Amino acid sequence: MSAKYDVIVVGAGLGGTAAAKTAAEKKLKVLLLERGRRPGDKQMSGSYLFRTITEEVFPGFEQADFHKGQIRVAGIDFRWMLDNDEKRYGVSVAPGAEVMRNWMTVYRNETDEWFAEQAVKSGAELKTALVTDLLWENEGAEGARVKGVVTDVGNFEAPITIDASGLNSLIAQRSGLADWGLDKVMLGLKYIYRVDGDLLRQRLQTYMDTDGVEVDWGATQMLCGSNPDHFGAHATGMPGRGIVSICFYSALKEMVEARVNIHQRAQWYLNQPTCKRLIEGGEFVYCNFHALAAGDMVGYVSKSFLSGLLLVGDAGGFAQPVDNFGANVALWLGRMAGELCAEMKATNDYSEAMFAKYEENWRNSWVGEDNVPEISVFMRDGGLNQVFSSMDDAVSYAFACKWENKSYPSIILGVIPKLLPVLPVLLEMPHLGRRAAEVGLKRAAPFMQLLGLWPSAGPNAPTSKGQ
């Protein structure tokens, strides 16, 4: 016999637990399904959470026990690799601990379990189950709607199903809303090492912030590049835990085309001087993998709902396409979905128009504004490589001239031709600012209309909502 709930949430990650907790707080009967042995069991990504949105959705987050022994990263050293990774250009940004206090280092296997506990305390029912398909009402006919899920422990029905089961979501595929190709997915690999905490403090040169949190200035370089695959790698040392976390990400499309093995790439990173010194004398503990949307050239799903179904977080490809900070997006969308569930329950309106409100709301929010895969295309299709290559030619020429006692005016004259190859790339960059212009115009529209500088209606008039 099928169990009846108000809402079924699939996936007990950040988006799923945010949705389940929000709906349960509104007195809805919520079933939260998780395929792992426990929430967070299969997590490798999301080593950082944003303090403000997490505390808003999950009060008490800032004071939770899992923060003990964690570290605050006060800077990022970004390097772009060139010429078979023999050259590197980049920038070190270290604004200091106070600015970075909103960026909190965590272990998601600990935090996700705590988040699920908060959802359960709010009234949600947590069950271990593997969802294999959707249940439909009038499947294949006009007006078909999702009415629940099929799992390995039975079928469950509800007027609303929220899919927050990750980038490889079977539900999103079964629904026809998402079926990602190789250009969407990045494979993430994480190595965990155990290293003596005092040794880590010496190697990272940490200090204690005024709020009692240990601070690392960002001593380990974040290495990125597109030769031949688009990749990124970084390391985080946590002296208070005696742990070093090594993360490596490689774009699946280029990996397959160039026949690159992610373990080979990761071994290269482990042998980079700053990384090698960090784990020297340490004990390898384990490794795991995760599918991510970092460096995403596709962007979000074109449609995030059906009658009876909402996509939240990675299930809808909602991780920010460039930097892959998706945890904050999942939290925000999960809360929004939970609030909409409560509205549908209160009005007894489960029409397709009500489900469409979810998409309308996120498209007219900062989430919609942040859908900028064009920047990832620029980074992965050779544009950024060309910029740094031209920079390398100019710098190499300048140094060579200096060693030959050339004057600075003559060096400058010689550098200009070295920068010419990057002009075609720069001429293509205005389209990267298109979204910023659209957002600025939309926000300025009410003021412009008030001053009579833009028509209040018409096909080209900017609006503050829905466009």
Side-chain angles (χ1 to χ4, degrees):
M1 180 180 293
S2 298
K4 289 291 285 185
Y5 295 90
D6 293 318
V7 187
I8 297 171
V9 181
V10 183
L14 280 165
T17 52
K21 176 178 179 291
T22 302
E25 287 174 338
K26 304 287 187 180
K27 307 305 179 184
L28 274 65
K29 189 176 182 182
V30 180
L31 175 63
L32 177 59
L33 300 176
E34 168 57 39
R35 71 177 183 267
R37 292 172 296 181
R38 62 182 185 278
D41 185 55
K42 61 189 187 301
Q43 275 288 357
M44 68 80 61
S45 61
S47 298
Y48 307 100
L49 295 179
F50 295 177
R51 178 194 302 266
T52 303
I53 180 63
T54 312
E55 183 67 25
E56 284 179 7
V57 180
F58 292 97
F61 164 74
E62 294 184 48
Q63 305 303 321
D65 289 341
F66 49 69
H67 292 301
K68 293 177 180 177
Q70 293 287 2
I71 202 165
R72 176 171 297 141
V73 178
I76 299 172
D77 190 346
F78 174 86
R79 304 297 170 97
W80 189 265
M81 314 301 291
L82 293 173
D83 290 354
N84 200 27
D85 307 326
E86 292 180 2
K87 297 179 179 180
R88 59 188 66 177
Y89 285 85
V91 61
S92 179
V93 180
E98 184 175 351
V99 175
M100 301 295 282
R101 284 182 180 178
N102 213 4
W103 191 26
M104 303 185 75
T105 306
V106 297
Y107 285 129
R108 285 286 300 276
N109 60 331
E110 297 174 347
T111 58
D112 282 20
E113 191 167 19
W114 185 84
F115 293 141
E117 289 173 359
Q118 308 315 302
V120 171
K121 288 178 181 178
S122 297
E125 177 186 344
L126 176 62
K127 186 182 291 292
T128 301
L130 175 64
V131 176
T132 57
D133 209 342
L134 290 167
L135 291 173
W136 292 87
E137 184 179 295
N138 301 322
E139 183 176 5
E142 186 177 349
R145 63 180 298 119
V146 174
K147 66 173 185 178
V149 295
V150 178
T151 82
D152 60 342
V153 296
N155 298 345
F156 301 96
E157 292 187 10
I160 308 168
T161 296
I162 296 175
D163 178 18
S165 59
L167 189 62
N168 289 327
S169 166
L170 191 60
I171 292 178
Q173 294 176 30
R174 290 277 197 269
S175 69
L177 293 176
D179 188 11
W180 308 117
L182 295 181
D183 51 355
K184 175 72 174 181
V185 183
M186 223 176 193
L187 181 62
L189 165 67
K190 178 177 282 187
Y191 292 147
I192 298 294
Y193 287 82
R194 195 176 303 281
V195 182
D196 179 77
D198 291 334
L199 275 177
L200 277 180
R201 289 187 176 91
Q202 294 175 20
R203 293 168 181 175
L204 292 170
Q205 297 181 321
T206 62
Y207 71 92
M208 200 64 69
D209 199 358
T210 55
D211 61 354
V213 179
E214 198 163 16
V215 177
D216 164 26
W217 277 104
T220 54
Q221 297 170 348
M222 178 181 289
L223 303 184
C224 303
S226 286
N227 182 29
D229 58 319
H230 183 69
F231 72 91
H234 65 89
T236 304
M238 302 176 188
R241 298 286 190 96
I243 290 291
V244 174
S245 175
I246 309 289
C247 297
F248 195 91
Y249 311 97
S250 192
L252 207 54
K253 180 175 182 288
E254 286 93 331
M255 279 180 62
V256 172
E257 292 173 350
R259 302 179 67 83
V260 175
N261 184 300
I262 192 170
H263 277 294
Q264 293 173 325
R265 269 297 200 180
Q267 292 301 314
W268 163 82
Y269 181 62
L270 291 176
N271 283 291
Q272 295 301 299
T274 54
C275 188
K276 187 175 183 178
R277 181 172 179 269
L278 198 61
I279 62 175
E280 186 177 359
E283 174 193 2
F284 175 76
V285 181
Y286 69 87
C287 77
N288 58 15
F289 301 86
H290 199 69
L292 304 163
D296 171 18
M297 298 196 297
V298 178
Y300 308 156
V301 285
S302 58
K303 185 179 180 182
S304 59
F305 73 95
L306 293 175
S307 290
L309 178 66
L310 301 173
L311 301 186
V312 166
D314 280 356
F318 284 108
Q320 206 286 330
V322 180
D323 57 40
N324 194 46
F325 281 132
N328 56 317
V329 183
L331 281 165
W332 201 84
L333 290 175
R335 179 176 61 183
M336 176 195 292
E339 290 172 345
L340 181 60
C341 290
E343 182 181 348
M344 285 192 269
K345 171 76 172 180
T347 59
N348 194 30
D349 184 356
Y350 299 97
S351 65
E352 185 173 3
M354 286 296 287
F355 284 91
K357 288 180 66 174
Y358 171 72
E359 181 156 315
E360 179 185 0
N361 289 341
W362 71 252
R363 285 194 183 278
N364 287 298
S365 73
W366 65 273
V367 175
E369 292 175 0
D370 223 13
N371 187 23
V372 284
E374 299 90 347
I375 299 178
S376 294
V377 173
F378 172 73
M379 294 174 66
R380 289 176 59 177
D381 274 8
L384 193 57
N385 252 359
Q386 184 61 63
V387 170
F388 280 114
S389 293
S390 295
M391 182 188 300
D392 176 60
D393 288 343
V395 170
S396 298
Y397 172 82
F399 274 106
C401 289
K402 187 62 182 176
W403 310 148
E404 297 297 329
N405 298 321
K406 301 289 186 180
S407 67
Y408 275 105
S410 65
I411 291 174
I412 292 172
L413 288 173
V415 160
I416 292 174
K418 304 291 184 183
L419 298 176
L420 292 179
V422 82
L423 287 180
V425 176
L426 297 179
L427 289 175
E428 293 179 3
M429 288 187 68
H431 79 278
L432 300 179
R434 176 178 59 85
R435 289 292 295 142
E438 290 175 351
V439 170
L441 190 60
K442 184 172 70 174
R443 293 183 178 179
F447 182 67
M448 294 170 67
Q449 291 171 0
L450 184 65
L451 296 178
L453 299 176
W454 202 282
S456 58
N460 297 316
T463 62
S464 58
K465 285 193 66 179
Q467 183 169 306

